[in-house]
Amino acid sequence: MVEYQSILDWINFPDPMSNPYYPFGDAYNLPYDISMKIWEILGGTIAWLLNLIFPNNGISGWLVCDMTANFFALVVFMILMFAVPFIGCLVSLWEERKILGRAMDRRGTMIGMWGFLQCVADGLKTFMKENVQSKAVDKMAFMWTCSLVIGVSVLLAIMVPLSGRWFVVDYGSGLLIIMALYALAPFFILVSGWAQNNKFTLIGGIRAAEMMLAYEIPILIIIATVALEAGTFNINGIVQAQYDTIPYFIPQFVGFITFLFCATAEAERAPFDLAEAESELVEGWQTEYSGMKWGLIMLADYLRGYVSCAMIVIMFFGGWNIPFIGDWNNYMPEFVFLLKAWFVFLLMILIRVGTARVRTDQILNLGWRVFMPLAVANLMIVLMLKVGGII
């Protein structure tokens, strides 16, 4: 009679870096480690059950081998990498609703735990709405641009590292890659507005392209200035440089303020929401989208807002480090990073609360005549500090 092996023989937690298929080289990756442990539990349990029913079968051994464990760990890894910014966006949405409610002398959303479950209810409601599509739209461009806007926003959100151990890949030109992908969304919005065969959506798409031209250049100048001070475009390098010296919002306060407003405009948040402008364009470039497509587009907007906040935290607030506390930075740096990002999002909310919506001519004048000179002035300040040996 065959003796069944204990489940403990199928579930073990080896060092993930000892796996020959480990995809991150010599760098420790926390979400991959968590994903590997999750698969060890799930895969080991399934393998034990199969072996219990069909002793000495080959599938049980295959489920716990290094190659299979690495594959399924990567699947869980990507789910985990998306879940964190997704939950971060839900918290940002809750934060905005509560603060806007207080600013309007009301309590804000009150559904569920301090009103947080309103976000879940809205998601379920949007999922149940009917998907309506006009016959006049260019169906291929209509669907592809919507998918690309959502896909690029999700890709950006998961590419932003939360700490030195929470990342997808440690790329040397991290800031440039993120901003290059960020700049794609307005092009997709322009094509989407044209594809819907609607004058309101076309105007919204054109406005999005105008804003991109006016605000991308100051943003890139400030990114170059931060890289100049840090000596690298690598995100880990920029964070470490601020830990070794001071957070960059101190010497680059002008650049920080400029980037904050430009990032708010790039995320198409009020008062720079000319591409939507409900009071003028019904719903702007999103007018013909309905049902879950509209809901995912709104999620993409908040994901781009999350990326904007994360970029500011990385470039000006020292990333996931807290100054002057030494080894304590090794504990929960991801939570520190998210707290900083939510603080920056609070600043964006306050801008929305205290500012009227900007007209088209005003937003272009701000980009070219105000923020562009300020970005150049910030670059000159850093150059002088660099040449003078102060930084």
Side-chain angles (χ1 to χ4, degrees):
M1 186 173 183
V2 178
E3 288 190 11
Y4 299 131
Q5 293 174 295
S6 168
I7 189 174
L8 298 179
D9 295 332
W10 295 97
I11 300 176
N12 54 77
F13 301 106
D15 180 6
M17 298 179 67
S18 64
N19 190 310
Y21 300 96
Y22 182 71
F24 300 102
D26 297 330
Y28 172 69
N29 190 290
L30 176 60
Y32 180 86
D33 190 2
I34 295 173
S35 302
M36 182 66 78
K37 287 179 170 58
I38 291 174
W39 176 248
E40 284 291 330
I41 296 172
L42 293 177
T45 302
I46 295 171
W48 171 71
L49 288 173
L50 286 175
N51 188 70
L52 192 66
I53 301 171
F54 307 105
N56 302 320
N57 70 86
I59 298 178
S60 295
W62 176 80
L63 285 172
V64 295
C65 73
D66 290 335
M67 182 176 65
T68 306
N70 176 69
F71 174 79
F72 284 103
L74 285 175
V75 173
V76 178
F77 168 80
M78 295 311 300
I79 296 173
L80 185 62
M81 293 300 293
F82 171 73
V84 172
F86 176 73
I87 295 172
C89 286
L90 294 182
V91 174
S92 299
L93 181 58
W94 169 82
E95 178 186 7
E96 183 169 29
R97 283 173 161 167
K98 297 298 283 188
I99 293 173
L100 287 178
R102 293 298 182 179
M104 298 172 185
D105 198 23
R106 55 186 177 84
R107 298 182 66 88
T109 174
M110 297 292 292
I111 306 297
M113 303 176 293
W114 305 286
F116 185 79
L117 291 182
Q118 180 67 55
C119 304
V120 180
D122 285 343
L124 293 174
K125 178 190 71 173
T126 305
F127 183 78
M128 295 172 64
K129 283 186 176 294
E130 183 181 2
N131 181 29
V132 179
Q133 181 175 308
S134 170
K135 292 181 179 180
V137 302
D138 184 326
K139 294 182 180 179
M140 181 175 292
F142 180 77
M143 291 301 300
W144 271 106
T145 50
C146 172
S147 303
L148 288 170
V149 167
I150 298 167
V152 168
S153 300
V154 171
L155 178 62
L156 279 170
I158 66 175
M159 284 179 65
V160 175
L162 299 185
S163 70
R165 63 185 185 181
W166 192 288
F167 59 92
V168 174
V169 60
D170 185 17
Y171 31 81
S173 54
L175 289 181
L176 285 181
I177 293 175
I178 289 176
M179 289 313 302
L181 291 173
Y182 203 106
L184 290 175
F187 288 110
F188 299 147
I189 291 172
L190 175 60
V191 176
S192 177
W194 170 83
Q196 294 174 55
N197 197 21
N198 182 312
K199 62 181 179 181
F200 297 113
T201 62
L202 179 59
I203 293 172
I206 292 173
R207 285 180 174 183
E210 288 177 335
M211 282 200 301
M212 179 197 68
L213 293 175
Y215 288 88
E216 278 291 329
I217 298 176
I219 283 178
L220 291 175
I221 292 175
I222 295 171
I223 288 175
T225 306
V226 170
L228 172 67
E229 184 170 353
T232 178
F233 278 108
N234 181 271
I235 291 177
N236 280 322
I238 293 171
V239 171
Q240 187 60 41
Q242 293 177 74
Y243 180 71
D244 294 337
T245 55
I246 56 174
Y248 286 170
F249 80 90
I250 297 175
Q252 298 193 43
F253 186 75
V254 174
F256 161 64
I257 296 298
T258 303
F259 195 93
L260 175 63
F261 279 91
C262 290
T264 303
E266 281 292 301
E268 298 179 35
R269 290 188 49 80
F272 305 104
D273 57 339
L274 293 181
E276 285 82 13
E278 293 93 338
S279 59
E280 301 173 18
L281 305 178
V282 187
E283 186 63 19
W285 71 274
Q286 306 174 21
T287 300
E288 299 292 345
Y289 289 105
S290 62
M292 201 58 194
K293 290 199 293 293
W294 181 86
L296 290 173
I297 289 172
M298 293 302 295
L299 173 62
D301 289 342
Y302 274 89
L303 284 172
R304 294 204 302 276
Y306 163 80
V307 173
S308 298
C309 296
M311 292 284 287
I312 292 174
V313 171
I314 289 168
M315 294 169 57
F316 298 105
F317 288 104
W320 45 84
N321 288 325
I322 302 177
F324 316 120
I325 66 170
D327 294 337
W328 285 96
N329 280 312
N330 295 326
Y331 297 95
M332 299 184 71
E334 298 82 15
F335 188 63
V336 171
F337 184 90
L338 289 173
L339 285 178
K340 290 182 179 181
W342 289 325
F343 170 74
V344 175
F345 192 72
L346 170 63
L347 299 180
M348 290 186 175
I349 297 171
L350 295 179
I351 293 173
R352 174 177 181 175
V353 168
T355 312
R357 192 166 63 77
V358 188
R359 297 196 315 262
T360 306
D361 59 324
Q362 292 173 331
I363 199 170
L364 295 178
N365 286 334
L366 279 172
W368 292 112
R369 298 183 180 181
V370 178
F371 293 136
M372 175 71 76
L374 287 176
V376 175
N378 181 68
L379 176 60
M380 294 298 104
I381 291 171
V382 171
L383 280 174
M384 288 188 291
L385 295 175
K386 200 83 171 176
V387 172
I390 300 176
I391 58 176

